Amino acid sequence: MRLSRILPTAWLAFVLLLLAGCASGPTIRADADPQADFGRYRSWAFYEPIAMEANGYTSFTTERIREAVRREMDARGYIYDPAAPDLRVNFQGIVQDRTDVYTMPRTDYQYFYSYRARTYVAVPVWYDETQVRQYREGTLTVDLVDARRNHLVWTGSAIGRVTRKTPQERAADVDAAVAAIFAKYPYRGGIAP
């Protein structure tokens, strides 16, 4: 009898842990210009200046993002040509403070002594409990711009919570975010979709 109570509880705990593991990555979004002819793009270069380097200096993070973007563009058959590219790649990182406000239905019991029944009686009380949680949200956006027209043709972004991590963990997160963004990019260099 005791085992029949433990198994469903253990199964529920396993499913909740599995779902929590799936929800830990960033949210990836992408959008493309429907009028753009991606078959004619064969070369690329970085936009000058990169939006993340608007203050005039680079950082460890911007260099890591550059390496990851270069790896993804090369893997898709694009040729790096800083002199006359078909596409220019720009990227931007933003960190914002966010607040989650949500309510959860709760129930409590108030106990009253019944002189007639000579016992305590529990009376349920239902109410909503409001909880507020503050966190930091980071967004990494990668834009592909038609160099000839200076017109945005594709954009992808990774949105997730920012937490304290070691430099090695941050570097791995940057690589994973850029790879996830480019996983939404269906085109290859010089090949019409």
Side-chain angles (χ1 to χ4, degrees), residues 89-103:
V89 177
N90 198 3
F91 56 85
Q92 173 71 34
I94 299 172
V95 177
Q96 298 174 322
D97 291 325
R98 296 284 191 192
T99 303
D100 276 345
V101 179
Y102 56 93
T103 59

Side-chain angles (χ1 to χ4, degrees), residues 16-186:
L16 288 175
L17 283 173
L18 185 66
L19 288 174
C22 292
S24 63
T27 301
I28 307 298
R29 296 188 179 128
D31 194 19
D33 181 358
Q35 306 298 321
D37 180 13
F38 285 91
R40 70 177 190 83
Y41 301 129
R42 290 178 173 73
S43 61
W44 73 282
F46 286 106
Y47 206 86
E48 294 297 332
I50 293 289
M52 223 166 148
E53 298 172 349
N55 293 332
Y57 62 89
T58 63
S59 69
F60 167 76
T61 304
T62 58
E63 289 302 317
R64 190 69 184 211
I65 295 170
R66 279 181 185 266
E67 292 172 17
V69 167
R70 183 182 297 266
R71 202 171 30 250
E72 294 296 328
M73 292 297 282
D74 290 346
R76 284 162 179 72
Y78 290 98
I79 299 164
Y80 183 73
D81 180 9
D86 297 325
L87 289 172
R88 291 210 177 263
V89 177
N90 198 3
F91 56 85
Q92 173 71 34
I94 299 172
V95 177
Q96 298 174 322
D97 291 325
R98 296 284 191 192
T99 303
D100 276 345
V101 179
Y102 56 93
T103 59
M104 294 177 48
R106 304 293 294 222
T107 185
D108 269 340
Y109 294 94
Q110 292 187 357
Y111 295 93
F112 299 98
Y113 185 75
S114 171
Y115 290 99
R116 180 170 282 190
R118 296 180 193 258
T119 185
Y120 283 95
V121 177
V123 177
V125 177
W126 289 275
Y127 61 95
D128 288 334
E129 180 181 334
T130 302
Q131 295 187 2
V132 178
R133 181 174 296 145
Q134 294 181 336
Y135 64 96
R136 294 177 63 83
E137 179 182 79
T139 303
L140 173 64
T141 303
V142 177
D143 296 332
L144 300 183
V145 178
D146 184 314
R148 188 172 48 88
R149 298 183 303 146
N150 200 29
H151 178 76
L152 179 71
V153 292
W154 186 86
T155 185
S157 60
I159 305 162
R161 290 185 183 227
V162 176
T163 58
R164 291 182 186 256
K165 295 187 177 184
T166 66
Q168 294 81 12
E169 291 172 330
R170 282 195 309 265
D173 285 350
V174 165
D175 291 343
V178 172
I181 290 169
F182 274 95
K184 297 277 188 174
Y185 183 73

